[in-house]
Amino acid sequence: MGNLSRNLKNAAIAFLVPLPSILFYISFLNHCQHLHDDPKSNDDVSLSPLWKWCYDHPLLLANFLFFFNVNVLFWVISHILSSNWMIDLYWTVIPVMLAHYYSTHPLAQFNLWRSRIAILLTWVWSLRLTHNYFRREKWQWGAKEDWRFTDMRVQYGKHWWWISFFAVYVSQQVFLIGICLPLYAIHSLDAPLNIWDFVAIVVCLTGIVIAFFADTQLHEFVTRNEKLKKLGKPVVANLDRGLWQFSRHPNYIGEQLWWWGLVIFAWGLGQGWTFVGSLINTMCLAYVTKLVEDRMLKQAYRAEAYRLYQKTTSVWIPWFKSSAIAEKDKNN
């Protein structure tokens, strides 16, 4: 009964928490409606300074809403709940919200088909990642926070209350607003579809498919090990089958392909500068990869197997196993 109560409470919080931004944006659109009805109206006169600023600065408005609704509100809620679980869930939601925000802003201009394709792909990506999140959390809302946040909570001790604001939330603004810059570019320029759009679609879909199968194989591996553990049998030390025999982190490479696929959409529109968000995200993921692998090596039952896995299997880019190194290691 306690778990059910917590589950319902966390679900309610998750659904209600974006309402301030949503209601503010709807109010803004209502104030701008007459500009759409009468394009000749003088918006400098008819809009208040607040709505005029929102009208003129779509990218800054996105950052403003993110700062107060995510950075500040999520941070306050994290202290009430003693957990930073919500930012993980909203990683799967915020890009969809940003896609719709950029497409509905009064200054938006775009090719209708490119917009529809980008938004549809973002929804597919989001649904896949949301499904994986809940499957991993055994269909519970806020069961636990990311292990990296838990480690930092211990590391920083009494200072974590304020460090978390920057380490967990402000950093996410940089990442999420940054990697979604191509969605802003797509809705800032109306140009015919071109060959880069089709390349982008292929890269995005390839990334989503790779990430789906990689995460599914990982989930099945973890589930099998949990069953073996309950039966008192030895668990399998390492996953090196399926996509995981060609890359130590195929789920990461799938995710990277998705974000860089979005960059290709923007590149085809002459907005190559939007790559900066994906570059920062890739650099961060390289660091996260090191953290994950260090964590694996600290687990005594799998350390030896994982060291061999590191020697024989590509870290990110899929490639064939180095059987010669594996054989040499076994002989030693």
Side-chain angles (χ1 to χ4, degrees), residues 62 122 154 158 185 218 221 280 287 292 294 298 301 318:
T122 306
V154 174
K158 64 181 182 180
L218 178 60
F221 171 78
I280 292 171
Y287 177 65
V292 170
D294 287 348
K298 288 176 183 176
Y301 77 95

Side-chain angles (χ1 to χ4, degrees), residues 48-311:
S48 70
L50 172 62
W51 300 130
K52 180 65 170 63
W53 183 87
C54 294
Y55 181 87
D56 289 337
H57 304 96
L59 196 53
L60 288 178
L61 176 57
N63 277 277
F64 171 86
L65 294 175
F66 195 110
F67 183 84
F68 286 103
N69 203 152
V70 178
N71 295 358
V72 176
L73 185 56
F74 279 34
W75 177 66
V76 170
I77 292 173
S78 75
H79 286 295
I80 296 171
L81 300 178
S82 298
S83 174
N84 296 286
W85 67 270
M86 204 153 50
I87 193 64
D88 274 355
L89 175 59
Y90 266 88
W91 245 92
T92 74
V93 176
I94 289 173
V96 172
M97 297 177 74
L98 284 171
H100 286 285
Y101 162 76
Y102 291 135
S103 68
T104 57
H105 191 279
L107 285 185
Q109 49 183 324
F110 49 86
N111 176 281
L112 183 59
W113 278 107
R114 181 181 293 111
S115 172
R116 285 176 173 175
I117 290 167
I119 290 174
L120 176 61
L121 286 171
T122 306
W123 268 100
V124 172
W125 167 85
S126 175
L127 290 172
R128 182 212 75 79
L129 196 58
T130 302
H131 170 262
N132 185 64
Y133 169 83
F134 280 110
R135 179 175 59 179
R136 187 188 69 212
E137 301 300 314
K138 303 186 187 304
W139 310 103
Q140 296 182 68
W141 295 78
K144 61 181 183 296
E145 66 180 3
D146 189 290
W147 61 268
R148 287 161 291 194
F149 301 151
T150 303
D151 286 355
M152 284 192 284
R153 185 188 298 276
V154 174
Q155 179 183 354
Y156 294 110
K158 64 181 182 180
H159 298 293
W160 178 239
W161 74 270
W162 66 268
I163 290 177
S164 62
F165 179 76
F166 299 96
V168 178
Y169 299 103
V170 174
S171 64
Q172 302 302 327
Q173 179 166 357
V174 175
F175 295 138
L176 280 165
I177 295 292
I179 54 180
C180 290
L181 284 174
L183 294 172
Y184 169 71
I186 288 168
H187 295 100
S188 299
L189 184 65
D190 185 0
L193 292 175
N194 57 64
I195 187 64
W196 290 110
D197 293 303
F198 296 99
V199 173
I201 292 168
V202 171
V203 173
C204 284
L205 286 175
T206 300
I208 291 170
V209 170
I210 289 175
F212 170 77
F213 282 106
D215 279 335
T216 297
Q217 290 164 5
L218 178 60
H219 173 72
E220 290 171 350
F221 171 78
V222 171
T223 302
R224 281 196 302 270
N225 266 354
E226 287 175 349
K227 289 179 180 177
L228 289 171
K229 193 173 180 180
K230 286 180 180 177
L231 294 172
K233 296 181 179 180
V235 297
V236 180
N238 194 47
L239 172 59
D240 58 359
R241 296 289 182 268
L243 294 176
W244 298 79
Q245 66 182 309
F246 303 108
S247 167
R248 302 204 298 272
H249 302 278
N251 49 345
Y252 290 177
I253 194 65
E255 190 73 1
Q256 290 302 297
L257 283 173
W258 155 253
W259 292 116
W260 284 99
L262 284 186
V263 171
I264 296 173
F265 276 114
W267 181 275
L269 291 170
Q271 303 296 312
W273 62 273
T274 59
F275 85 96
V276 65
S278 290
L279 178 62
I280 292 171
N281 187 52
T282 299
M283 292 168 64
C284 176
L285 201 57
Y287 177 65
V288 169
T289 299
K290 182 182 182 305
L291 291 180
V292 170
E293 299 211 339
D294 287 348
R295 190 172 188 242
M296 299 287 276
L297 293 172
K298 288 176 183 176
Q299 299 172 1
Y301 77 95
R302 64 163 33 127
E304 185 179 347
Y306 201 80
R307 286 193 188 92
L308 179 60
Y309 185 52
Q310 287 178 313
K311 292 177 181 178

